[in-house]
Every structure is written in structure tokens, then in C-alpha cells.
Amino acid sequence: MKTNKFDQALPLYFHIKKVLQEKVASGVWKPGDQIPNEIELADIFQVSRSTVREAILQLVREGVLVRYQGKGTFVSQPKIEGELINFNFSSKWAFKQQMVHVIEKPCTVSVAKALGLALNEIVYEIKRINFFHTEPAALEISYIQKACVPNLTNHSIEGRLYDLLNEKYHISITNAESDMEPVLLNSAEAGMLKTNMDKPGLKITRVGKTLSGKPVILTDSLIRGDKVRMFIQSS
């Protein structure tokens, strides 16, 4: 149905945006659906293409819609929600990991500083890709002093490394210090996460410590900004 009956006190594109947003929120347009093109929407709402384009661009910026060159505009897939403080993900997301490698290497300056080690002391580097459903969403790289976890590769390195440390080495991680920063993915990171170079990401660095305050494990998690939404839960 064609209509242009909008409150003139607000910009036209704002009203178009709200209507399109409601179609997504109500499930009329589902994730992955292609929406009508600008010409069709301009005809439906009896407005100019530029007005429709501005409404669509607003929704693209907010992550509600996504545009593909030469294909059209589609409803974005829902983002994976994670709780930032504990870095947990809802059970509704089918979670799996893909091991990239477990190697021994001399620690770098940054790793040595974080774990209180001597420069070039040998650490295990554990690199894994975290998937949610079938899509890679986060690249996780952890470092542990080799002397703390002898014969680490004899064990199954799946799931939470904190649990592995506790069950196999009786090292209990009771707290962690975290910091985060926005980053742009480089070509190697983008390749492993199946996305484009220079896409936004969130880097979370966590140092897991024992009750006495001894740092044991350093983990850098590089999260795709277009697939994961983090939130902070406080009591």
C-alpha cells in the first residue's frame, strides 16, 4: 500500500527508517531476506530515492541491514551476544572450536611482561578459532609458561583452558585482569575469520591469575565486530 502520511515535524527518512526497522523487528523481514530496492521503496512510500537511501544507510550503520555491491540490501544476521566480564556466550549459540596450532616458542616482551617471565622463556602458544553455528566469530591466542604445564600436548586442549589447568595441573584461576581495544583486522586475521581485511574487531586481553596473584595464562581474543555484540552485566 502506498503511503506518505507522516508527521512533518520529523525528517521523512526518519519515518521510513522506523517502518523498515519494524518490519525486521516483527519478523516480516527475517535475517538473510533481501528487502525491496530503493526504487520500489520510493514508490511504496511516495518519497524520493534519496530519502529512502538515507533511511537504509542509517539502518546499515546500525547493523540492522547489510548492503552487498551488485546484489542488494539484506536483513543482517543476528549478532552473537556475549557477557564481557566473564566472556561467556549464551547456550542458544552452537559453539565449537577449531585448533590452529599448539606450539612452543620463546616468549615476546609483551608476553613476558604479562606473565612475569624472563624474555625468551619458553611458552606454549595455543591458537584456536571459535565458531558460533557455522561462522568463525573469534580468534583466540593463549600463552602459558611451559614449566607450569609439562606435557600439555598429551591432553585434549578443547573447551575452557581454565578448566584444563584446574583438572590436569591443579592450578586454579580465581580472577583475571582484562582490557579491550577496538582494532582493524589484518589480512591474516581476516582470512582465519572468513571476513574482509580492515573490518572492525574488538581485542580483549585477559591475564588469568591464581588466588595469590600469580599470572598463569595470557589470552588475546580477537572478536569480529560484525558478528558479536558484547555486554556488561553488573549486580
Side-chain angles (χ1 to χ4, degrees):
M1 179 182 297
K2 297 183 180 182
T3 178
N4 62 357
K5 297 178 181 179
F6 296 121
D7 181 355
Q8 299 302 310
L10 294 170
L12 269 178
Y13 78 83
F14 179 85
H15 296 289
I16 306 299
K17 172 189 171 183
K18 289 299 182 183
V19 173
L20 302 184
Q21 199 167 27
E22 178 58 29
K23 287 184 178 292
V24 175
S26 64
V28 174
W29 291 344
K30 296 178 174 56
D33 284 355
Q34 183 173 9
I35 73 168
N37 62 39
E38 291 178 3
I39 295 176
E40 293 169 328
L41 290 173
D43 186 51
I44 291 170
F45 292 111
Q46 296 185 332
V47 296
S48 68
R49 284 187 64 183
S50 62
T51 298
V52 170
R53 185 178 300 114
E54 181 59 31
I56 290 174
L57 287 176
Q58 291 280 329
L59 292 174
V60 169
R61 293 189 189 106
E62 293 175 14
V64 177
L65 301 176
V66 59
R67 306 187 86 169
Y68 295 110
Q69 186 68 33
K71 294 184 178 180
T73 305
F74 298 78
V75 179
S76 296
Q77 296 292 335
K79 290 194 174 185
I80 301 152
E81 293 188 346
E83 194 266 302
L84 183 57
I85 298 302
N86 294 315
F87 201 34
N88 291 328
F89 292 89
S90 170
S91 58
K92 71 180 180 179
W93 302 107
F95 174 82
K96 68 174 183 176
Q97 291 179 322
Q98 175 185 314
M99 183 65 69
V100 177
H101 67 226
V102 182
I103 59 174
E104 299 177 22
K105 62 184 294 185
C107 66
T108 61
V109 173
S110 60
V111 173
K113 182 178 179 180
L115 296 181
L117 305 177
L119 183 61
N120 292 325
E121 189 165 346
I122 300 302
V123 295
Y124 282 109
E125 180 183 270
I126 304 163
K127 184 179 291 188
R128 307 185 292 185
I129 299 172
N130 294 334
F131 286 74
F132 297 93
H133 293 304
T134 60
E135 291 194 86
L139 175 63
E140 177 187 282
I141 308 174
S142 297
Y143 301 92
I144 311 172
Q145 181 187 17
K146 182 183 178 183
C148 286
V149 286
N151 304 313
L152 177 67
T153 53
N154 291 345
H155 303 293
S156 173
I157 307 175
E158 296 180 353
R160 280 171 49 87
L161 293 177
Y162 287 13
D163 293 339
L164 173 65
L165 290 171
N166 185 43
E167 294 168 9
K168 301 300 182 181
Y169 296 97
H170 308 293
I171 300 172
S172 179
I173 304 300
T174 59
N175 62 85
E177 294 181 355
S178 305
D179 63 69
M180 57 183 164
E181 61 177 323
V183 295
L184 294 177
L185 303 181
N186 62 35
S187 58
E189 294 161 347
M192 283 186 278
L193 293 176
K194 306 288 192 229
T195 187
N196 296 325
M197 181 180 173
D198 291 335
K199 282 282 189 178
L202 181 67
K203 181 182 179 182
I204 301 178
T205 300
R206 292 168 60 87
V207 179
K209 299 183 177 183
T210 63
L211 184 61
S212 66
K214 174 180 170 56
V216 175
I217 177 171
L218 167 67
T219 300
D220 287 327
S221 298
L222 186 59
I223 301 167
R224 281 179 60 174
D226 62 334
K227 287 298 177 184
V228 178
R229 179 174 62 192
M230 308 302 294
F231 64 92
I232 296 174
Q233 181 172 322
S234 59
S235 57

